[in-house]
Amino acid sequence: MDRTQVAIIGAGPSGLLLSQLLYLNGIDNIVLERQSREHVAGRIRAGVLEQGTVELLLKAKSGGRMLSERLVHDGVSLAFAGRSVRVDLKALTGSSVSVYGQTEVTKDLIDARTAAGARLMFEAAEVAVAEFDSAHPKVRYRHNGRTHELSCDFIAGCDGYHGVCRQSIPQGALQTFERTYPFGWLGILADVPPASHELIYSNHARGFALCSMRSMTRSRYYVQCALDEKLEAWPDARFWDELRVRLPDEIAAAVITGPSIEKSIAPLRSFVVEPLRFGQLFLVGDAAHIVPPTGAKGLNLAAADVRVLYQALVEYYRTSRTDLLERYSQLALRRAWLAVRFSWWFTSIMHKFSDDPFNHRLQLAELDYLSGSTAALTSLAENYVGLPFEI
Ligand code: FAD
Ligand code: DHB
């Protein structure tokens, strides 16, 4: 039977980052990923990194390309009622955010892990975790047609919302909290310059829209859509028309259109499971919590979990101290709930929930208040750039 110190399930950003940080601290680990390397590296998802995430990627020695290619944004804009208001993140908080795609973060981490000779197993099928309520957890999986068994000290469940780890914990041991939203986001990626040099979040009577980017030549746009919407119903021309209708005239006029290179629909949900530890199994990132994308928090929250867990594991292997491992769930959940709250609030003021005009007027009043209040803008800005870390 093969053996490692930490078995990591999932090679998304949380699994890869944890693997790299443990490796740099002399802790042996294996990453088991269901999908192929190309699939993992090609998924278009998050785009905004908090400064704390940037620093953790640098600590993981996986931030060189990010530093030269990222776009540092000192502000974002909120558009509503035909106008737009800039939130000066830098002036309000002293901090900025970095635009650098999750795709690139993942590529950089895979390259760093591969260069270090990591045991990174893509296309690991039928991964099953067992005996994690004992001191000797086991992981079984199939790879290249053969069945493998792995013995370890700890299992890190970094396998996302649909992963196997959370589902392997006995039903009664976990409490789940969930809110689904009655809409999704239809997103496209196109090799055209962005409409503005910063992100624009737009509230419109027809629904939310977001102007984002991956670089000054690659744009990422989203429009709120119905949950049962079909991609086939959204040829590029319809997407661009709908996007422009939902933006103030000046911004709409600056949108440069072009053929999409990716198009997808993502549902919106809030989800938290408690606690994040069961025996020697730890849940990390999207396996533990999901937030609607509006606040750009999902990837950053995954990195924040990794930050707490890798430090706790390093401390354990160095000194046999278990108190940080014991506090993992509490520390990670505290941050998760703060992000759940912010993402829920930002979602609630920016999206169309019903045809009731009263609701829309309330949202416009809230945005009007925000735009005239330094206190309210500071609250938004400090959440958007990322709240301070506790440890
Ligand atoms: P994942 O990225 O889901 O990785 C989990 C991995 O586990 C996957 O590779 C999966 O294949 C693998 N896996 C699953 N099951 C198994 C199994 N049984 N065996 C082995 N492997 C398995 N976040 C932000 O911070 N900022 C943003 O701007 C932002 N925008 C977003 C926009 C969209 C449209 C979406 C959908 C998400 C966005 N997010 C954003 C959220 C962010 O993408 C996620 O929070 C992030 O991917 C979580 O990383 P993770 O590693 O925990 O999980
Ligand atoms: C992006 C996604 C988000 O959820 C967000 O809030 C900002 C940007 C993006 O994909 O670029």
Side-chain angles (χ1 to χ4, degrees):
M1 188 191 305
D2 203 359
R3 143 121 206 120
T4 189
Q5 289 174 300
V6 183
I8 299 173
I9 317 301
S14 55
L16 291 166
L17 182 56
L18 180 65
S19 171
Q20 176 72 356
L21 287 162
L22 293 179
Y23 156 75
L24 291 172
N25 285 277
I27 299 172
D28 188 60
N29 64 84
I30 296 183
V31 183
L32 301 176
E33 164 62 48
R34 183 170 55 184
Q35 303 286 359
S36 68
R37 179 181 176 138
E38 297 67 39
H39 179 98
V40 169
R43 277 189 304 229
I44 310 295
R45 293 172 89 183
V48 178
L49 307 182
E50 296 173 358
Q51 187 54 28
T53 305
V54 167
E55 281 160 19
L56 196 62
L57 289 166
L58 291 174
K59 187 166 261 182
K61 301 196 191 313
S62 174
R65 192 167 67 97
M66 171 188 66
L67 281 191
S68 58
E69 293 186 11
R70 70 176 169 162
L71 302 172
V72 175
H73 284 191
D74 291 342
V76 294
S77 290
L78 304 179
F80 60 99
R83 65 187 175 114
S84 109
V85 173
R86 182 168 183 268
V87 183
D88 191 334
L89 302 170
K90 181 87 181 184
L92 291 162
T93 68
S95 204
S96 311
V97 292
S98 294
V99 169
Y100 190 68
Q102 179 169 332
T103 325
E104 308 311 314
V105 171
T106 307
K107 273 188 209 145
D108 293 346
L109 283 165
I110 291 176
D111 287 349
R113 292 286 45 227
T114 307
R119 288 196 283 172
L120 189 48
M121 323 283 268
F122 289 100
E123 298 176 66
E126 298 166 34
V127 172
V129 295
E131 297 172 52
F132 43 84
D133 50 351
S134 78
H136 304 288
K138 304 280 182 299
V139 183
R140 294 183 193 92
Y141 62 100
R142 284 183 69 75
H143 194 244
N144 288 337
R146 287 183 45 220
T147 302
H148 300 260
E149 189 169 78
L150 182 62
S151 159
C152 56
D153 301 330
F154 299 100
I155 299 172
C158 302
D159 50 352
Y161 180 70
H162 300 287
V164 69
C165 290
R166 192 184 65 248
Q167 288 165 23
S168 304
I169 297 174
Q171 283 271 314
L174 295 179
Q175 196 177 0
T176 58
F177 303 85
E178 191 158 18
R179 169 78 41 103
T180 53
Y181 299 84
F183 42 74
W185 280 16
L186 168 63
I188 71 164
L189 193 66
D191 278 329
V192 291
S196 160
H197 68 289
E198 290 177 347
L199 271 61
I200 301 164
Y201 291 83
S202 180
N203 171 304
H204 189 272
R206 288 175 66 88
F208 171 75
L210 168 59
C211 307
S212 181
M213 68 195 74
R214 290 293 175 273
S215 70
M216 291 314 287
T217 55
R218 180 168 284 189
S219 300
R220 179 75 166 154
Y221 290 104
Y222 298 95
V223 293
Q224 176 185 347
C225 65
L227 272 178
D228 58 359
E229 205 65 71
K230 296 278 174 289
L231 279 179
E232 305 79 76
W234 285 88
D236 290 355
R238 181 178 174 204
F239 182 92
W240 292 118
D241 287 348
E242 187 62 35
L243 174 72
R244 283 184 292 208
V245 168
R246 297 185 189 188
L247 299 171
D249 291 345
E250 216 173 286
I251 300 165
V255 170
I256 300 171
T257 64
S260 63
I261 52 175
E262 195 262 0
K263 199 182 278 166
S264 53
I265 295 177
L268 268 67
R269 68 159 57 86
S270 302
F271 171 87
V272 185
V273 72
E274 293 186 4
L276 302 186
R277 176 183 186 178
F278 185 86
Q280 303 294 84
L281 170 64
F282 292 82
L283 298 175
V284 182
D286 276 17
H289 38 64
I290 299 279
V291 288
T294 326
K297 287 286 159 258
L299 172 57
N300 293 298
L301 214 43
D305 289 354
V306 168
R307 187 176 176 280
V308 179
L309 185 57
Y310 104 89
Q311 287 178 341
L313 288 167
V314 168
E315 203 55 41
Y316 169 77
Y317 282 111
R318 263 195 207 137
T319 66
S320 300
R321 261 179 62 186
T322 57
D323 55 317
L324 277 182
L325 284 172
E326 274 146 28
R327 285 173 63 214
Y328 168 74
S329 185
Q330 181 202 338
L331 287 172
L333 279 170
R334 180 165 182 216
R335 191 173 184 86
W337 274 110
L338 290 168
V340 169
R341 185 209 70 82
F342 173 65
S343 305
W344 161 82
W345 170 78
F346 201 25
T347 300
S348 73
I349 65 163
M350 298 308 294
H351 290 74
K352 177 176 179 171
F353 281 75
S354 71
D355 287 325
D356 181 353
F358 182 81
N359 284 341
H360 194 225
R361 286 288 191 279
L362 274 185
Q363 290 179 331
L364 295 179
E366 179 139 9
L367 287 161
D368 189 18
Y369 162 67
L370 253 173
S371 57
S373 161
T374 306
L377 284 173
T378 305
S379 167
L380 190 166
E382 65 189 14
N383 279 280
Y384 193 82
V385 300
L387 296 171
F389 288 105
E390 202 172 303
I391 62 163

